């Protein structure tokens, strides 16, 4: 039954994308300066600045986590997840702009910069909205790890390359 719900949800998303793709011709793609701003702001270590990339009514749909709803909750989410020893990177594999709405699909990685190892990789879908001043803000941000059970990363100073990453 669980697999059925996953297939049904995937089919619904594909139908919505097909419907969107069937509308008038594409307005273009999101520029890299937009699609990389969350990673840039995360890596600067400022939760407030990172949350500023989102609309006031945005949601982050993280795996095994209730939806993070609204700017205040998004600030708290980033305060809990930004760490000077973690680096975040994303690469857009596809995007589509229709008027003031855009969809972006891509892959991401998280790196423990202290030990020089990637500790997580996955994929994401983002929905963007263009604001009245022309800037793009994230409206929905959904991601999932490629690992069956993503592990939290220990950043203890004793940890060194080759010792592995301790799961919490």
């Amino acid at each position: 039954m669980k697999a059925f719900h996953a297939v049904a949800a995937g089919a619904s998303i594909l139908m919505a994308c097909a419907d969107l793709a069937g509308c008038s011709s594409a307005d273009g793609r999101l520029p890299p300066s937009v699609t990389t701003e969350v990673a840039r702001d995360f890596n600067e270590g400022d939760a407030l600045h990172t949350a500023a990339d989102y609309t006031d009514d945005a949601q982050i749909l993280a795996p095994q986590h209730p939806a993070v709803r609204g700017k205040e909750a998004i600030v708290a989410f980033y305060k809990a997840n930004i760490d000077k020893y973690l680096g975040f990177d994303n690469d857009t594999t596809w995007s589509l702009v229709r008027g003031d709405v855009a969809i972006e699909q891509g892959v991401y990685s998280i790196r423990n910069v202290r030990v020089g190892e990637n500790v997580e990789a996955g994929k994401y879908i983002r929905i963007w909205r263009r604001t009245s001043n022309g800037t793009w803000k994230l409206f929905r941000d959904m991601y999932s790890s490629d690992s069956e059970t993503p592990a939290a990363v220990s950043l203890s100073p004793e940890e060194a390359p080759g010792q592995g990453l301790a799961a919490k």
Side-chain angles (χ1 to χ4, degrees):
M1 190 66 153
K2 199 176 197 181
F4 171 77
H5 291 297
V7 170
S12 295
I13 290 170
L14 289 175
M15 288 186 324
C17 289
D19 184 45
L20 184 62
C23 295
S24 62
S25 63
D27 295 338
R29 294 181 152 187
L30 284 167
S33 61
V34 170
T35 61
T36 59
E37 70 186 349
V38 172
R40 179 197 66 223
D41 294 342
F42 180 97
N43 292 330
E44 288 177 2
D46 186 345
L48 291 173
H49 198 184
T50 306
D53 297 328
Y54 291 79
T55 64
D56 290 338
D57 59 345
Q59 293 182 26
I60 297 175
L61 307 170
Q64 286 83 44
H65 194 284
V68 179
R69 300 174 191 267
K71 192 72 69 120
E72 187 177 318
I74 291 171
V75 169
F77 176 84
Y78 279 114
K79 280 184 178 180
N81 287 288
I82 287 179
D83 187 289
K84 67 181 179 180
Y85 296 114
L86 292 179
F88 175 71
D89 187 35
N90 68 278
D91 182 29
T92 303
T93 57
W94 177 85
S95 69
L96 175 70
V97 175
R98 292 276 196 262
D100 291 338
V101 176
I103 300 170
E104 174 195 6
Q105 179 179 343
V107 293
Y108 73 90
S109 62
I110 299 173
R111 185 169 188 79
N112 180 327
V113 295
R114 179 179 287 184
V115 298
E117 293 179 12
N118 285 344
V119 294
E120 184 176 318
K123 61 265 177 212
Y124 65 88
I125 295 267
R126 293 175 173 162
I127 300 173
W128 296 81
R129 287 197 314 206
R130 191 180 345 233
T131 64
S132 59
N133 69 4
T135 61
W136 288 99
K137 299 285 184 177
L138 272 164
F139 177 62
R140 294 293 184 272
D141 189 355
M142 182 175 191
Y143 64 94
S144 65
S145 173
D146 289 342
S147 300
E148 190 170 317
T149 53
V153 180
S154 170
L155 298 172
S156 65
E158 301 79 36
E159 198 167 320
Q163 291 181 311
L165 300 170
K168 289 184 180 175

